[in-house]
Amino acid sequence: NANQRPLAVMLSGDAVARPLAGLSQADLVINMPVITNSITRFMAVFICEHPKEIGSIRSARDDFLPLAQGLDAIYAHWGGSHFALDKLNAGLMDNLDALKNPFNAFYRKAGIEAPHNGFSSFDRLWEAARKMNYRLTGKVNGYPHLDGDLSPVATTTKTLTIGFPGSFQVKYEYHPQDNSYWRWRGGKKEIDKNTGQQVAAKNVLIMRTTSRQIEGQYNDVQVSGQGQALIFLNGEKILGIWKKDASNPKSKLYFYDQNGQEVKLVPGQIWLEIVQDNQTITWE
């Protein structure tokens, strides 16, 4: 589905909402703080696979918008901060808001406490986007991938730990046998509700950046400009930088190695962890 426009869906990071549905079928998942030094939330981006269920779906936040714009995505969310909704309602980008529920794209599931009971599916969201007359062909400049020999650099199991607080702490266990990074959160396996299986990434990208509180529970993470990047693939750690044109929200987010070359990724799922400068990262 290389020419299909991406669909970016906001998902809950709260422990009570676990397990999330659709995580393992996303091409890219972005995990970012939505309160400084506190909770994180996901944006899952779908192109290749079409999950039968996606959720728990949560609200839009303003600092996710330029990341979705850079992917030329249709943005799906359940309401949002006024910082985000002011921009979306002014026509910033194509979006599907569950509070308006266009063409019955979203639903609430019985037996799950609100606000964690909001769900949809790829087909429901895609059909709503079609009826909204949104462009369905993508213009995204994707990430380059390695070809040829993909033999792991590491020969033993290694662990990547990201110091988000409490139940939001993230760990990836790298296994050379399948060249995958198996994801844990809050000390528990990251399970996809649709499959019952643990989520495994082929690439873990880390952006080092800053976060500031802008009003009450709302923060703003610096996702434009440039900063330190750590890229984990094939069992190795690559030091580099991330860049996103601050003058153009629709610009792609790039990852470069120390020689200034765009990093080529392993075919498969990508997880992007956006980490505050004061939070620890270990690889051992």
Side-chain angles (χ1 to χ4, degrees), residues 58 256 278:
R58 294 301 303 272
Y256 298 102
N278 63 316

Side-chain angles (χ1 to χ4, degrees), residues 3 81-82 90 92 125 143 152 195 205 210 231 233 251 272 284:
N3 295 321
S81 72
H82 70 84
L92 177 75
L125 294 171
Y143 290 98
T195 65
L205 314 181
T210 57
I231 298 99
L233 52 84
S251 63
L272 170 56
E284 56 191 14

Side-chain angles (χ1 to χ4, degrees), residues 135-153:
R135 174 174 45 83
L136 302 181
T137 301
K139 298 179 180 179
V140 64
N141 177 21
Y143 290 98
H145 287 79
L146 294 165
D147 53 21
D149 184 16
L150 298 178
S151 300
V153 173

Side-chain angles (χ1 to χ4, degrees), residues 5-9 44-47 54 73-76 96 122 125-126:
R5 193 171 181 193
L7 182 63
V9 186
V45 183
F46 301 94
I47 301 177
I54 302 172
I74 299 169
Y75 185 65
L96 301 168
F122 182 93
L125 294 171
W126 196 251

Side-chain angles (χ1 to χ4, degrees), residues 155-166:
T155 56
T156 59
T157 299
K158 301 190 74 171
T159 301
L160 169 63
T161 304
I162 302 171
F164 295 124

